[in-house]
Amino acid sequence: MKELLERLSREKPERIVALTGAGISAESGIPTFRSAGGLWNTFKVEDLATPEAFARNPDTVWQWYESRRAQIRGVEPNAAHHALGRLGRHPRVDLTVITQNVDDLHERAGSNHVLHLHGSIFRVRCCSEGNTFDRREAFDVNPPRCDCGSLLRPDVVWFGEPLDLDTLNAASAAVERAELLIVIGTSATVYPAAGLAWMCRGYTIEINPVETSLTGYAQLTIRSTASNAVPPIVDTILGAADG
Ligand code: BV8
C-alpha cells in the first residue's frame, strides 16, 4: 500500500474509474452473491434472477426483491462509498463510478456520475409498455401491476438479458480512457461487466479480501476490505490533486 500511495502522489491521476461489485456494499450489511453467506449460497439464480423465473413465479421473485429493497432502505453507505463520493466532487478529478450493484448507496454517499450496469432495484418497469419509474417504498400488493393492468418488474438486468447498450458503451469508454482503474469488491465472474476490467490501459488496482480471476491481471491487489482500503487511496489522490 505504501508504494501505491507514493505512486499516486507522484502521478496525480485525474481520469479515474471505480468498478464496484456487491463487496463494496457488504460492510453496509448487504449480503454479497458469491462470498461466504452470499445470496447465491441460499437461493438458486435460476429461481430468482432470470426472466424465465419471473414468468413462472412473479410473486416469488417479487418477494425476494421486496426483501432486498427493504434491507437496502434500512442500511447506510459505508466509508468506501463516502470516499468515492468525496473523490468525485473534486474539480480536478474526472471520476466515473461503474457499478454492478442495484442498490443506491453510491448515490446516497454523494456520487452523481454512476453507471448502473445491472439496473436499479428502486426502479420498476411495466412488462407491456416498457415505461419505467422510480419506486423506493414497498408495494402493497404482490406481484405489483401497472395502471394498464400488466405486471411490473424490477428494472434490473437478469441473467440471459442484455445490458443497456448506452450504459455499457459509456462504461467501456470510461475504462479505456482511465489512467487509474480501482476494482472494488467484485468476484469478476459476471460478464460482460467483469470484462471491463481487462480493457483498462492505465494502472489497475483490485481491492478484495480474496483472490479473483482479476488478481493476476491487476498491477496491484490489496487484500483488504473496501472500507479499509478505499479511504486512504482517495485521500492520497485528493492530496495530490490539491498539491
Ligand atoms: C448477457 C441482477 C447476453 C440484478 C445480476 C461470457 C462469459 C461467461 C458467461 C457469460 C458471458 N456472457 C454472458 C454470460 C452469462 C451471464 C454470466 O456472466 N454468468 C456468469 C455467472 C458466468 N451473463 C449474463 O447473463 C448477462 N447478460 O450477457 O446477456 C445477451 C446479449 C444479447 C441478447 C440477450 C442476451 C447479465 C448479467 C447480469 C445478471 N444480473 N444481478 C440483481 O438482482 O442484483 S448479476 C449479480 O452478480 C449482481 O448484479 C452482482 O452485482 C453481480 C456480480 O457479482 P459481484 O458484484 O461480483 O458479487 P459477488 O458476490 O460475486 O462477489 C463479491 C466480491 O466481493 C467477492 O469477491 C468478495 O470476496 C468481495 N467482498 C466481500 N466482502 C468485501 C469484499 N470486497 C471488498 N470489501 C468487502 N468488505
Side-chain angles (χ1 to χ4, degrees):
M1 184 70 140
K2 186 172 170 299
E3 303 76 55
L4 168 68
L5 299 184
E6 284 163 4
R7 178 191 180 100
L8 293 175
S9 295
R10 200 174 52 248
E11 301 201 350
K12 302 177 187 282
E14 294 180 358
R15 292 190 311 279
I16 302 172
V17 167
L19 173 61
T20 68
I24 197 171
S25 297
E27 289 161 282
S28 292
I30 302 296
T32 64
F33 289 86
R34 296 169 189 83
S35 38
L39 287 167
W40 296 150
N41 302 341
T42 33
F43 298 98
K44 282 169 60 188
V45 169
E46 42 285 354
D47 295 346
L48 291 164
T50 65
E52 295 77 13
F54 185 72
R56 262 195 322 270
N57 297 304
D59 50 347
T60 306
V61 172
W62 260 114
Q63 192 178 351
W64 181 52
Y65 275 89
E66 283 287 30
S67 69
R68 290 173 65 198
R69 286 155 48 94
Q71 197 168 43
I72 296 165
R73 285 195 301 268
V75 301
E76 295 300 324
N78 61 55
H81 296 107
H82 285 298
L84 293 178
R86 282 201 311 278
L87 184 62
R89 287 195 292 274
H90 193 286
R92 291 269 309 275
V93 172
D94 165 13
L95 173 69
T96 302
V97 176
I98 302 171
T99 188
Q100 300 169 81
N101 301 339
V102 293
D103 64 48
D104 60 349
L105 296 178
H106 281 301
E107 288 84 352
R108 285 165 58 192
S111 289
N112 50 25
H113 183 201
V114 182
L115 297 175
H116 280 270
L117 297 175
H118 296 156
S120 165
I121 204 164
F122 292 125
R123 196 172 55 239
V124 295
R125 186 166 87 227
C126 170
C127 291
S128 297
E129 300 161 324
N131 60 309
T132 63
F133 56 92
D134 291 337
R135 172 75 186 231
R136 268 187 76 79
E137 60 281 358
F139 288 96
D140 47 19
V141 290
N142 180 4
R145 290 188 178 275
C146 175
D147 293 344
C148 77
S150 297
L151 279 174
L152 289 172
R153 57 165 282 178
D155 193 30
V156 300
V157 180
W158 282 325
F159 287 99
E161 293 186 320
L163 279 63
D164 173 77
L165 212 47
D166 292 343
T167 305
L168 188 55
N169 289 339
S172 307
V175 172
E176 282 175 345
R177 68 172 183 268
E179 296 168 90
L180 175 64
L181 170 65
I182 314 173
V183 183
I184 309 165
T186 181
S187 59
T189 49
V190 174
Y191 284 79
L196 289 168
W198 274 263
M199 297 169 70
C200 179
R201 293 191 278 256
Y203 191 80
T204 300
I205 303 169
E206 179 190 37
I207 298 171
N208 197 317
V210 305
E211 191 169 313
T212 72
S213 56
L214 186 60
T215 300
Y217 173 79
Q219 275 82 10
L220 179 71
T221 287
I222 301 172
R223 277 280 164 274
S224 179
T225 66
S227 65
N228 279 334
V230 176
I233 290 172
V234 165
D235 291 344
T236 301
I237 294 171
L238 291 177
D242 288 335

